[in-house]
Structure formats: structure tokens, C-alpha cells
Amino acid sequence: NAGVMQNPRHLVRRRGQEARLRCSPMKGHSHVYWYRQLPEEGLKFMVYLQKENIIDESGMPKERFSAEFPKEGPSILRIQQVVRGDSAAYFCASSPGAVGSPLHFGNGTRLTVT
Amino acid sequence: AQKITQTQPGMFVQEKEAVTLDCTYDTSDPSYGLFWYKQPSSGEMIFLIYQGSYDQQNATEGRYSLNFQKARKSANLVISASQLGDSAMYFCAMREVYSGGGADGLTFGKGTHLIIQP
């Protein structure tokens, strides 16, 4: 049973380019979460999605960031016109949804903006 | 106010000793869950242990146990017989049923960097 798969593992973008981060949840999991981790800090919630629906995007910056979880295929976190401050580790997690079930995390995508 | 507070930014412990990592939380929800995750230097987030707010007994998973003191809103992680491979960042997290914290997601503390010395 494969875990949460994120790709790419490392992503380097120049300022102004677009970054696309992909996440395939664990089999049977319909809840997907994106978190951002800055150096020496904990994870900060960004967005929570179920298939074809954004449930909560209260942690997403208002501009340049978007997320989707289509009916088919992985969840995508998209950052347009990246800036140096976007450099961070971005983690995707999935869960079956019950309160007591832990979120299972992928290995993260480390985005570096040069 | 912070929802999850981890007061120990870093800890050094001798191999084979027991370790207690502190975590206090703040919520008005009657129903919530508490989680601990380990993040080694390789970067992945590894789930360790879960405690539900209505659980009567402290959770245990192998060498990990959670010292849950509900009245004090504390959920300390105890690692027995520490090993060199336990060196990592440890994060306490909470999931609130009604208040959100990412609408069913987790709110994380800032973490404790644990270093096990031989």
C-alpha cells in the first residue's frame, strides 16, 4: 500500500516562474491537505480539499496560490510568479477523514526560488 | 494565543535514557485529537502516536507513550530507552472537531529538536 506520493522532491524556479507541486494521496483517502514549512518552523496549514472541492483555503495566500484535487489524477498546488519568500518545504497529507485518523504525509517538495 | 506550545526548542539526551517532550494545547472544543510526529533530517513527517480527548487511558505505541493530562491541557510524549535513531525534530499537533484548525486538519507546534548522544 503506497504512501502519499509527492513530486518533484526538489524544485528550483527563478523569480516570476510558475511552480506546480503534485500529490497523490494514499489509496482510499479522499481528504487532502497542503502544508508549508519554513526553515526551523512547524507546518502551517494552507488548504484542505476533497475530490473536486476546496473545503477550506483559509491558510492560502490570497494571490498567486491555488490548489485543486480533480476527479482523476493528483492534487496540484500551483504557485504563480514565484518570489524568494515562497522558498519552503511543501507537504501534502491525506486521511480517510475520521477525527481519530492521523494525517499521513508525503516526503515533501522543497521549493527553492533563485 | 498559540494553540500548541512546545517549550523545548532543543534537547540533548544520553542514549538509553528516557525522554519527555513537552506539549501544551489550547482549545475550547470538547472533542479533539492530539498527535505526535517525528521529522528526521531527511525531512519526511512520520506519525508516531494519537490520543483522543475522550480516551480514558494514555496512548502507547512501542517505545512511545503519551502522558495525557486533560485538566492541565498537556500531552507530553515519552520515549523510553532512547536510541541514536531517535534524533530528529518532534512536532505535537492537534485536530479540533468543531473549531477547525484547517477544517479538520492539524495545527502544529514549533517543534523540539531532540539529539541523542552516545
Side-chain angles (χ1 to χ4, degrees):
Chain A
N1 189 14
V4 178
M5 304 299 292
Q6 284 189 253
N7 66 80
R9 189 76 193 267
H10 299 275
L11 182 62
V12 179
R13 285 287 177 265
R14 288 201 181 94
R15 278 181 299 170
Q17 290 184 321
E18 178 180 285
R20 278 183 180 244
L21 288 63
R22 293 175 188 77
C23 169
S24 296
M26 282 181 75
K27 190 175 180 182
H29 287 190
S30 58
H31 298 234
V32 166
Y33 308 80
W34 285 93
Y35 285 81
R36 176 163 62 178
Q37 185 179 32
L38 295 170
E40 308 300 321
E41 291 193 13
L43 277 68
K44 294 282 196 298
F45 166 77
M46 298 182 75
V47 62
Y48 161 46
L49 310 104
Q50 295 181 21
K51 279 286 184 184
E52 299 187 277
N53 286 306
I54 296 174
I55 308 300
D56 183 348
E57 55 183 349
S58 58
M60 288 273 272
K62 293 286 185 272
E63 296 175 350
R64 303 188 297 109
F65 284 72
S66 62
E68 61 177 12
F69 188 16
K71 189 176 179 182
E72 302 289 339
S75 175
I76 306 285
L77 178 68
R78 183 178 174 213
I79 311 172
Q80 295 178 290
Q81 299 174 342
V82 295
V83 300
R84 289 226 173 94
D86 296 333
S87 295
Y90 291 83
F91 285 90
C92 170
S94 73
S95 101
V99 170
S101 53
L103 272 60
H104 294 269
F105 284 83
N107 286 339
T109 294
R110 274 134 192 94
L111 172 65
T112 302
V113 179
T114 61
Chain B
Q2 290 213 9
K3 292 224 173 188
I4 297 285
T5 302
Q6 294 181 251
T7 57
Q8 307 148 309
M11 285 185 74
F12 288 88
V13 173
Q14 288 296 120
E15 191 180 6
K16 298 191 177 71
E17 288 185 353
V19 182
T20 297
L21 304 180
D22 295 341
C23 172
T24 56
Y25 59 91
D26 182 25
T27 182
S28 54
D29 270 11
S31 182
Y32 52 90
L34 297 155
F35 302 78
W36 277 92
Y37 284 83
K38 172 183 179 182
Q39 187 177 38
S41 58
S42 50
E44 67 267 35
M45 293 289 287
I46 303 166
F47 165 70
L48 296 178
I49 197 166
Y50 163 78
Q51 180 85 41
S53 57
Y54 292 117
D55 293 343
Q56 296 294 318
Q57 295 195 323
N58 288 342
T60 59
E61 287 286 347
R63 292 187 300 113
Y64 304 108
S65 60
L66 202 152
N67 184 0
F68 182 44
Q69 297 187 42
K70 194 170 181 177
R72 298 175 67 177
K73 294 191 173 175
S74 127
N76 298 341
L77 177 70
V78 179
I79 307 174
S80 63
S82 58
Q83 302 170 358
L84 296 178
D86 293 333
S87 294
M89 284 290 290
Y90 288 80
F91 292 98
C92 180
M94 176 172 64
R95 188 180 217 174
E96 296 166 284
V97 173
Y98 300 110
S99 301
D104 201 37
L106 295 177
T107 303
F108 283 83
K110 291 187 184 292
T112 295
H113 190 187
L114 175 65
I115 297 173
I116 307 297
Q117 296 174 311

